[in-house]
Amino acid sequence: MDEAGGTPRFDPLRDYPLGERRPDLVRTAMGLALGELTLDGLRDGAFTAEELRATPQTMRLQAQVARAAGREPLAANLERAAELAGVAGETILSIYTALRPHRSDAAELEAWAVRLESELDAPLNAAFVREAAAQHGRRGLLRR
Amino acid sequence: MTTPDDPLEPGTPGSARFRTREAAVLRTEALIAPAPALGLCVFDGPNDPEPGIELRDGRVVAIDGVREQDWDVVDAFIAAHGIDPVAAGEAAALDDLEIARRLVDVDTLRDDLVRLGRGLTPARLARIVGLLDPVELMFAMKKLRARRAPANQAHVTNRKENPALLAADAAEAGLRGFAEVETTVGVARYAPLNAIAILVGAQTGRPGVLTQCAVEERRNLQLAIQGLVTYAETLSVYGTESVFVDGDDTPWSKAFLASAYASRGVKIRFTSGGGSEALMGGAEGKSILYLEARCLAVIRAAGSQGVQNGSVSCVALVLSLPGGTREILAENVLAAWLDLEVASGNDAIASQSPIRKTGKLMGQFLPGTDFVTSGYSAMPRYDNMFSGGNYDADDYDEWLTLQRDWQVDAGIEPVGEQDLLAVRLRAARAVQAVFARLGFPPVSDEEVELAAGCKDSRDLPDRDRAADVLAGDRVLAEGISGADVALALEAAGFRDIAEAILAMQRQRVSADYLQTSAILAADGGVVSAVNDPNVYTGPGTGYRLEGARWELLQQLPHVQSAADFAARPAEGPPATADARIAGLGESPREVVIAVGPAFGAALRETIGGLEHGAVVQAVIDGITEAGAQPRVVRVRRTSDVAFIGHDGARLSGSGIAVGIQSKGTTVIHRVDLQPLDVLELFGQAPLLTLDSYRAIGRNAGGYAVGERVGPVPTVLDNYARNKHIVRTTLLHARETAEVVPDAPAVELLPG
């Protein structure tokens, strides 16, 4: 239990699977608990398909689980994913395309990095795009 | 092939045996000598670098002899995300052989090996794994697998892209225990419908099966966003920069895509596999295993939980080279060492030779991998749209038997015909209902029924494909989701399937299956390397096929009980009746027919299905034809055919006897011979006919009356023992049960 005697603190070594061991920590974007995501609720319009996905908070808990298991790159991936959870699919696909070989020049990738940082609240992904820009530039993989 | 040293003179007739071997299907497959310059060598390519790593201020500045400024994108990505400098320091203090030995040391924990692996460069990884021989590789595989228990993945496709058949096959795959089901398309616009069909089918077969539809990334991601698929393994990487770029990606674009899938709650697994760089002409003279080590280092660095590897679709290319099978297993071991979930190939056709492909399979099958195949064809090969089908629906009995033979769990369960028909029918009906509710082109009752019982899609009527693909377009345009599919099923009365599909959507909320090696148990619980890790430290530890699971995997539908198999229950009056104790015969022309303790009584026919009364009559006829006099006795004290015959000879007036066991094995014996030294032995009872028995009688009579006798011709069938040894054993046991120790032989009357 934490200091206030409320919800027990998250322990990434013990609390996995979250859905079984810590359902109290898992919520949809609207704040629904797993137990509220029932077929009857869906039919009666209590929630929509949009709710049926992980929130950034849940993704970050999963990143903690991966890190505690010694899987740093997986944790980093899940943290980048957490940042992307709220980003529109079309935007994501545009960034993906921009990162492919010979698709963007340095300025275009930097523009994506700025947008990820300032507009989309995705600093990890921004840094990742900047790193790609530097390496693509070094290896001649920017748009010619 | 003739070589310059071949002693064969021109014009010398060839060997007929060579011609026979040349005609075998194996010989349609090319074997080539290594061509290292083209990357066609499995270990130690001429351009493979010397392993090495240089750190400065805790940062990697050189990998495998290449300094920072000269790194290609693969090196740079691995250096940035894939090497743990602390582990690199630890590994630097150990020599290659020491690390290789730890890979097969039961007392070295997987965790310690994985930690060490994080500090190794691709060249060093390849070199160390290359030190292991095949059995050591298998042992290392068993030790390094991430998840405790192995599992398997199925392919489900068909040439007509018929949704009822897709659903039925996915349901069968689910019921047979596959943890994942993968489909693909012939026509890209079918993807949404195929994804829906296998989602519905798989959840009908077993709640919790993960499903994917292998299509172009953008479309795939869209299906994921709509909750129609739950995993993806389409993210391919390559070991050289030129091929990576030819594949229209860089490590950063692929890693970003991986994060994108994860952000939609989709489990992802990358794909690599030896030989692809050589195939694409960009191997740079480097060995297959070294380039695969680079791929795997990138995959781990990108944060993938797992990989599909082991040459995969290039398997036939790698198998053309010496050591190819060993190299492929080495790839799988490397992946597991890097702490990745491994779906270990065995999906593309490795060889047309059943011996060769199954020899290759054993490398993954015996130690067990996270997914023993990355696509067992759940339908006959004809309908496999992955150009796969290395093992397919027609091979289920073979696979199940191999599991039973080795007591190994390779992820497929036996299921009886009625259970399968029922689940296939239900899945087809469920998808019919979903199509109806969503206003898609109807699935007819005829399609549903044929989907359940057909052999392949040729048995089904053609669909209106133009209408189907328009429905596929609607799925994307209207955003029809997994939740909508669940609602359609609920409305149509398939509440349990609807619940299972909603449960898959809920998994996306908790995202537990994004962890390494995650699959879902039938109760909906997530099982992964986090909560069910492989901790193998020798006998008595790790995953062992035992208990209820072993019982289940033994129960092939066609397994018989020993009692059922031995013989039909004796019905009706016996063919023989025992009379008084047999005395010594007086006529020098007498031939005794001595039968076994169960003959014509507890047993009624031979292993070849000949009725005992008819057998005796045939021998009597033969003896009579030869001018001798038959007398029938039953030997009761033994069930051994030689002793039965010899006991008969001792009673026979001529000293000649025919000894017949109930299963039909027969000897001609003579009183002055040692019991085991007979005149003639007819050991292959299943091949004997009534004519054979008559000929045996004629010969025995011939011996009695002193004529020259040529042996009865016998037929040789090398498979007879293979086919009949079980029944032979059981029939003999039945006869032996009738033995009365020390009892004298009795005269026998016709029944």
Side-chain angles (χ1 to χ4, degrees):
Chain A
M1 302 296 248
D2 67 12
E3 306 280 321
T7 316
R9 216 148 47 99
F10 177 63
D11 179 349
L13 286 171
R14 295 173 158 274
D15 289 349
Y16 176 87
L18 270 64
E20 293 164 41
R21 298 218 174 154
R22 293 306 301 275
D24 58 303
L25 295 179
V26 180
R27 288 286 180 279
T28 66
M30 268 175 58
L32 294 176
L34 285 171
E36 295 175 272
L37 302 173
T38 63
L39 200 52
D40 294 332
L42 179 66
R43 189 193 50 222
D44 300 341
F47 64 94
T48 64
E50 295 297 306
E51 289 300 292
L52 294 168
R53 48 188 284 198
T55 61
Q57 292 79 358
T58 303
M59 296 294 289
R60 290 195 176 98
L61 292 178
Q62 293 293 354
Q64 286 188 51
V65 170
R67 186 163 286 124
R71 301 187 171 107
E72 179 55 38
L74 176 58
N77 176 26
L78 294 173
E79 284 169 343
R80 291 194 296 272
E83 289 184 348
L84 299 176
V87 178
E90 276 310 307
T91 308
I92 286 179
L93 288 167
S94 300
I95 299 172
Y96 168 59
T97 304
L99 285 170
R100 299 177 92 164
H102 310 302
R103 298 300 203 290
S104 317
D105 59 27
E108 285 163 333
L109 285 177
E110 177 57 24
W112 275 117
V114 168
R115 196 173 157 201
L116 280 161
E117 207 163 39
S118 53
E119 194 182 314
L120 300 170
D121 196 19
L124 297 173
N125 283 282
F128 198 75
V129 168
R130 287 201 175 102
E131 181 186 307
Q135 295 296 339
H136 290 186
R138 195 175 61 78
R139 298 301 293 173
L141 296 175
L142 295 172
R143 195 173 64 219
R144 293 176 185 123
Chain B
M1 189 177 94
T2 57
T3 66
D5 299 328
D6 203 316
L8 213 60
E9 293 291 327
T12 307
S15 159
R17 294 179 189 179
F18 265 73
R19 299 298 88 76
T20 302
R21 289 190 290 263
E22 281 163 9
V25 69
L26 176 71
R27 295 293 300 274
T28 63
E29 296 170 4
L31 302 182
I32 59 171
L38 302 175
L40 293 173
C41 64
V42 292
F43 301 98
D44 299 323
N47 293 344
D48 287 1
E50 262 310 295
I53 187 163
E54 199 178 316
L55 302 166
R56 191 176 306 143
D57 306 327
R59 209 170 60 85
V60 180
V61 295
I63 286 182
D64 294 335
V66 184
R67 306 200 61 79
E68 200 168 4
Q69 63 271 19
D70 298 322
W71 284 344
D72 64 14
V73 287
V74 174
D75 297 317
F77 192 80
I78 295 168
H81 302 281
I83 301 249
D84 173 353
V86 177
E90 188 187 344
L94 299 168
D95 72 15
D96 293 344
L97 205 54
E98 170 60 25
I99 298 176
R101 285 178 175 163
R102 289 189 188 183
L103 289 175
V104 293
D105 171 20
V106 287
D107 296 323
T108 302
L109 293 173
R110 177 182 187 274
D111 280 353
D112 293 331
L113 293 168
V114 165
R115 195 189 64 250
L116 210 51
R118 291 188 202 121
L120 297 174
T121 62
R124 188 128 195 253
L125 286 166
R127 181 166 290 186
I128 292 168
V129 169
L131 294 170
L132 304 186
D133 79 8
V135 176
E136 290 159 352
L137 284 169
M138 282 198 227
F139 189 74
M141 187 70 238
K142 178 178 175 65
K143 222 174 124 55
L144 291 169
R145 183 179 66 240
R147 192 196 318 112
R148 189 179 63 89
N152 214 331
Q153 182 192 118
H155 281 165
V156 171
T157 54
N158 67 68
R159 293 203 195 190
K160 287 187 175 165
E161 319 222 38
N162 183 290
L165 184 53
L166 286 169
D169 282 326
E172 173 163 353
L175 193 62
R176 286 188 180 276
F178 287 96
E180 292 183 346
V181 170
E182 176 183 20
T183 191
T184 189
V185 291
V187 175
R189 287 166 69 198
Y190 259 103
L193 297 191
N194 291 9
I196 288 172
I198 68 156
L199 174 67
V200 171
Q203 300 312 314
T204 307
R206 182 178 69 81
V209 176
L210 299 170
T211 56
Q212 72 154 330
C213 181
V215 288
E216 178 272 329
E217 305 291 8
R218 179 179 280 259
R219 196 173 287 261
N220 207 358
L221 196 55
Q222 188 58 41
L223 295 174
I225 290 167
Q226 291 177 216
L228 298 175
V229 297
T230 37
Y231 80 102
E233 62 181 6
T234 44
L235 292 82
S236 303
V237 303
Y238 304 96
T240 63
E241 184 177 87
S242 64
V243 178
F244 219 124
V245 171
D246 282 350
D248 207 14
D249 269 301
T250 77
W252 282 270
S253 65
K254 270 277 143 79
F256 181 83
L257 193 58
S259 303
Y261 275 113
S263 77
R264 268 52 190 170
V266 177
K267 169 181 174 175
I268 57 114
R269 175 187 302 130
F270 279 57
T271 292
S272 59
S276 55
E277 296 85 2
L279 183 71
M280 291 169 78
E284 301 173 0
K286 290 163 181 158
S287 72
I288 289 171
L289 185 63
Y290 167 64
L291 292 182
E292 179 61 11
R294 283 166 62 86
C295 290
L296 292 169
V298 166
I299 288 166
R300 199 184 79 86
S304 175
Q305 64 79 33
V307 66
Q308 167 184 220
N309 89 329
S311 199
V312 196
S313 52
C314 294
V315 56
L317 178 63
V318 178
L319 287 191
S320 74
L321 295 164
T325 289
R326 182 168 81 94
E327 190 280 335
I328 290 171
L329 179 55
E331 292 182 22
N332 299 139
V333 169
L334 264 187
W337 190 9
L338 290 177
D339 200 22
L340 297 167
E341 173 197 60
V342 180
S344 56
N346 292 315
D347 53 346
I349 292 174
S351 172
Q352 297 179 68
S353 152
I355 293 175
R356 191 176 191 214
K357 78 175 181 185
T358 304
K360 187 265 163 210
L361 170 71
M362 289 300 107
Q364 294 76 31
F365 183 98
L366 294 178
T369 64
D370 294 299
F371 295 89
V372 176
T373 78
S374 32
Y376 186 108
S377 185
M379 56 289 147
R381 189 168 299 127
Y382 168 83
D383 270 330
N384 192 303
M385 305 282 284
F386 291 94
S387 51
N390 194 39
Y391 293 95
D392 75 354
D394 295 339
D395 300 319
Y396 272 135
D397 287 345
E398 308 270 0
W399 188 280
L400 294 169
T401 305
L402 284 176
Q403 290 184 151
R404 191 176 184 272
D405 289 346
W406 279 106
Q407 194 172 345
V408 152
D409 185 349
I412 307 183
E413 298 168 16
V415 187
E417 183 174 352
Q418 293 309 315
D419 290 346
L420 280 173
L421 281 174
V423 82
R424 292 179 64 95
L425 191 63
R426 186 144 194 272
R429 284 207 195 295
V431 92
Q432 179 187 41
V434 168
F435 270 46
R437 289 268 158 187
L438 296 176
F440 296 166
V443 174
S444 69
D445 288 340
E446 185 196 11
E447 284 174 276
V448 166
E449 275 153 35
L450 287 169
C454 72
K455 175 161 172 58
D456 60 44
S457 64
R458 284 171 288 199
D459 296 344
L460 271 70
D462 292 329
R463 286 181 60 79
D464 180 347
R465 291 172 68 86
D468 275 348
V469 294
L470 283 175
D473 295 346
R474 263 191 57 208
V475 173
L476 297 179
E478 298 172 21
I480 293 171
S481 69
D484 294 323
V485 173
L487 286 177
L489 285 163
E490 198 261 351
F494 294 95
R495 184 156 179 114
D496 58 327
I497 308 174
E499 290 281 10
I501 288 177
L502 185 63
M504 297 306 288
Q505 311 294 311
R506 256 196 313 266
Q507 290 291 346
R508 286 152 39 99
V509 178
S510 54
D512 285 313
Y513 66 35
L514 301 187
Q515 299 293 344
T516 300
S517 295
I519 55 177
L520 301 180
D523 65 1
V526 176
V527 177
S528 76
V530 176
N531 63 341
D532 197 18
N534 176 28
V535 183
Y536 175 74
T537 54
T541 68
Y543 181 77
R544 314 189 83 79
L545 178 53
E546 53 198 12
R549 177 78 179 165
W550 172 221
E551 286 296 320
L552 174 69
L553 295 193
Q554 291 176 41
Q555 298 306 320
L556 275 58
H558 52 278
V559 167
Q560 295 166 277
S561 78
D564 292 346
F565 197 63
R568 270 175 252 146
E571 284 173 359
T576 56
D578 294 4
R580 63 181 189 284
I581 291 177
L584 193 63
E586 288 169 3
S587 164
R589 299 180 80 84
E590 180 188 73
V591 174
V592 163
I593 302 168
V595 300
F599 195 94
L603 296 171
R604 302 290 174 84
E605 61 181 37
T606 68
I607 196 168
L610 301 178
E611 196 264 312
H612 282 162
V615 168
V616 169
Q617 192 55 55
V619 180
I620 288 172
D621 291 348
I623 292 170
T624 311
E625 281 168 32
Q629 298 163 0
R631 176 166 63 117
V632 187
V633 308
R634 177 192 307 289
V635 172
R636 296 185 294 170
R637 69 173 188 92
T638 177
S639 59
D640 182 285
V641 71
F643 283 92
I644 291 169
H646 197 256
D647 280 15
R650 286 164 58 185
L651 296 172
S652 166
S654 67
I656 298 291
V658 176
I660 312 175
Q661 275 179 317
S662 297
K663 62 187 168 70
T665 306
T666 299
V667 295
I668 303 176
H669 224 315
R670 202 173 66 200
V671 67
D672 59 326
L673 299 175
Q674 291 298 313
L676 297 184
D677 178 24
V678 300
L679 284 174
E680 293 185 53
L681 167 66
F682 308 92
Q684 296 208 328
L687 306 176
L688 297 177
T689 62
L690 288 177
D691 284 343
S692 319
Y693 285 108
R694 181 189 293 264
I696 290 166
R698 248 189 330 262
N699 263 24
Y703 291 121
V705 301
E707 280 180 7
R708 259 165 47 108
V709 169
V712 175
T714 53
V715 182
L716 184 67
D717 174 2
N718 287 348
Y719 289 101
R721 180 171 287 260
N722 171 274
K723 284 183 287 196
H724 297 293
I725 192 165
V726 175
R727 279 196 73 206
T728 298
T729 302
L730 295 170
L731 288 172
H732 188 59
R734 185 71 192 85
E735 179 133 270
T736 303
E738 294 294 307
V739 167
V740 183
D742 303 324
V746 291
E747 300 275 350
L748 223 54
L749 304 171

